[in-house]
């Protein structure tokens, strides 16, 4: 068996790993690179492998950084099945077309600029139509149901507790009469997350892939419900509108869940009179899927509330804004209200309108429930900039700004250590992926100190289970942007990984430096 890291190696997004065995090629996840990772290695119209040669795909969960390139994979000739849980398939059926739509819109905007500049038009990497076609390749499964992928590979999906339908995947690969277990953690959930179950702990494997998003920090240990109760009480007393930027899938439904539990318990007097708007078509569609996917997905607490008659996603004061007109009408509602809208980091979508209408009001409250990346509008507001620019207009930030950490979808350092701690230290290899460069590296070093044979693989690193060794094919950088990346790689390789590569790298580096110097 050979394993090649095609993405999320020393970065967080673009998850993609290739497993080759028995003459077949499998992919685990095929995600879109986002944010800084996309700038470092932009999505071009191709893959570093031939999609026609991939026999099957396994998908851990619906988040776009794990699933977002599946429509392109299909467009480029992949004809196999994409195995995933039933809830993941349902979520992808709305998220793929949404991603296609976003790309069509972006390209349309860019083409208007290109036209004015006399440049040729570009096409989106995939369209809504491509995305809808890709949905047909999804093969829904239940948790724990073993499935035959190829002649010598079977798979089992177990609940990862990260998003509705999210899974860790265990592959049993038989070669030469011996079976090896390969476990992909997927994104590991935060324990005690509302609505969904805690992550499943596996304890038997030969090779483990573990994510490391928060490998360097610990979350606020307080209960999410307590935090939201405290913050909402304060915001309601302030008297103004409450604006919550939220990812449409996952976070929005967790918020609705917490609000419905508070309503059911009468936890905040007066809350029952305040309308709760969901202003996001994707959020509304996802809420429908969350409502229909209770069996096998909700945790005990959620099932108990449900048995008591608490309706998580259809309480009396809930109002959905599907159309643009309905979205605009929210601002005409003079009552105090809660507005949940996306995007979660405020750099696109309807949330920008609500921030424009409310940020300048001293009685309003903006509640952040997710990570705000550097450079986003959300981050500037969270950092309490005096004013921000929205649609070209300077808007004063006078609203109260709150942040609830408990909603984090990922396990923290303690959670990751607990997850890996169920495996024996004698296992063949642990690969630390899905973490910022320094974090994945440091977490791998920590696991090494604990006695695991762990490393943070590099992009395109190949691992051979027969020789138990890895190698990194050297690819020349194309633009000046990658100078930092090149220097980082050079440093690692020169640290003694491979003498021949080190020499090639040195030659390439000095060639580039002299070319740039000219
Ligand atoms: Zn995820
Ligand atoms: Zn992820």
């Amino acid at each position: 068996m050979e394993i090649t890291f095609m993405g999320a190696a020393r970065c967080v997004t673009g998850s993609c790993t290739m497993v080759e065995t028995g003459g077949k090629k499998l992919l685990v996840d095929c995600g879109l690179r986002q944010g800084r990772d996309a700038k470092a290695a932009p999505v071009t119209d191709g893959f570093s492998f031939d999609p026609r040669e991939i026999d099957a795909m396994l998908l851990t969960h619906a988040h776009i950084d794990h699933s977002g390139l599946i429509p392109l994979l299909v467009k480029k000739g992949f004809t196999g099945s994409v195995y995933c849980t039933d809830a993941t398939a349902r979520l992808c059926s709305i998220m793929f077309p949404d991603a296609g739509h976003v790309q069509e819109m972006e390209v349309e905007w860019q083409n208007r600029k290109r036209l004015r500049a006399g440049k040729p038009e570009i096409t989106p990497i995939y369209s809504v139509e491509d995305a809808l076609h890709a949905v047909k390749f999804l093969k829904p499964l239940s948790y724990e149901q073993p499935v035959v992928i190829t002649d010598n590979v079977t798979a089992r999906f177990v609940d990862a507790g990260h998003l509705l339908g999210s899974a860790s995947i265990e592959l049993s690969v038989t070669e030469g009469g011996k079976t090896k277990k390969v476990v992909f953690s997927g994104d590991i959930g935060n324990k005690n997350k509302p609505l969904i179950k805690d992550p499943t702990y596996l304890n038997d494997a030969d090779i483990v892939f573990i994510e490391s998003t928060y490998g360097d920090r610990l979350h606020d240990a307080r209960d999410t419900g307590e935090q939201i109760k405290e913050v909402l009480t304060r915001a309601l007393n302030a008297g103004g509108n409450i604006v919550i930027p939220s990812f449409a899938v996952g976070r929005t439904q967790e918020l609705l869940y917490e609000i419905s539990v508070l309503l059911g318990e009468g936890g905040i007097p007066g809350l029952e009179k305040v309308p709760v708007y969901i202003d996001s078509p994707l959020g509304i569609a996802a809420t429908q899927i969350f409502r229909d996917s209770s069996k096998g997905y909700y945790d005990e607490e959620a099932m108990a509330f449900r048995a008591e008659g608490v309706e998580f996603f259809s309480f009396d004061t809930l109002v959905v804004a599907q159309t643009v007109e309905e979205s605009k009408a929210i601002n005409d509602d003079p009552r105090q209200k809660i507005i949940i809208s996306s995007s979660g980091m405020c750099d696109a979508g309807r949330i920008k309108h609500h921030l424009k209408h409310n940020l300048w009001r001293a009685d309003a409250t903006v509640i952040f429930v997710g990570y705000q990346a550097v450079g986003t509008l959300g981050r500037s507001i969270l950092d309490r900039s005096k004013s921000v620019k929205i649609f070209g207009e300077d808007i004063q930030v006078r609203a109260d700004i709150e942040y609830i950490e408990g909603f984090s979808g990922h396990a923290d350092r303690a959670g990751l250590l607990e997850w890996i701690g169920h495996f024996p230290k004698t296992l063949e290899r642990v690969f630390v992926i899905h973490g910022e460069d320094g974090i994945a590296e440091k977490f791998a070093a920590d696991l090494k100190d604990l006695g695991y044979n762990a490393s943070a693989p590099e992009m395109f690193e190949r691992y051979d289970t027969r020789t138990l060794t890895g190698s990194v094919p050297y690819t020349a950088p194309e633009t000046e942007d990658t100078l930092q990346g090149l220097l980082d790689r050079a440093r690692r390789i020169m640290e003694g990984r491979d003498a021949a590569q080190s020499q090639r790298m040195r030659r390439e580096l000095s060639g580039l430096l002299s070319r740039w110097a000219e």
Side-chain angles (χ1 to χ4, degrees), residues 71 76 95-96 106 118 135 208 215 218 271 287 313 318 323 355 392 408 412 418 447 453 503 514:
K76 293 274 163 188
M95 291 169 81
F96 287 179
E106 246 163 49
V135 169
V208 171
L218 295 173
L271 180 64
T287 301
F313 305 120
L318 186 67
T323 65
L355 291 169
S408 174
D412 63 1
E418 185 174 358
L447 292 185
N453 183 14
Q503 251 188 1
S514 58

Side-chain angles (χ1 to χ4, degrees), residues 421-442:
H422 285 75
F423 293 100
K425 296 193 167 127
T426 49
L427 57 76
E428 181 181 313
R429 194 67 185 256
V430 177
F431 291 110
V432 179
I433 53 173
H434 199 293
E436 296 288 343
D437 199 348
I439 296 172
E441 225 171 349
K442 169 77 173 50

Side-chain angles (χ1 to χ4, degrees), residues 12-13 15 61 63 65-66 162 186-187 211 213 410 434:
V12 176
T13 69
S15 283
H61 64 293
H63 278 150
D65 63 311
H66 295 255
H162 165 71
D187 286 359
E211 67 121 324
T213 318
H410 289 270
H434 199 293

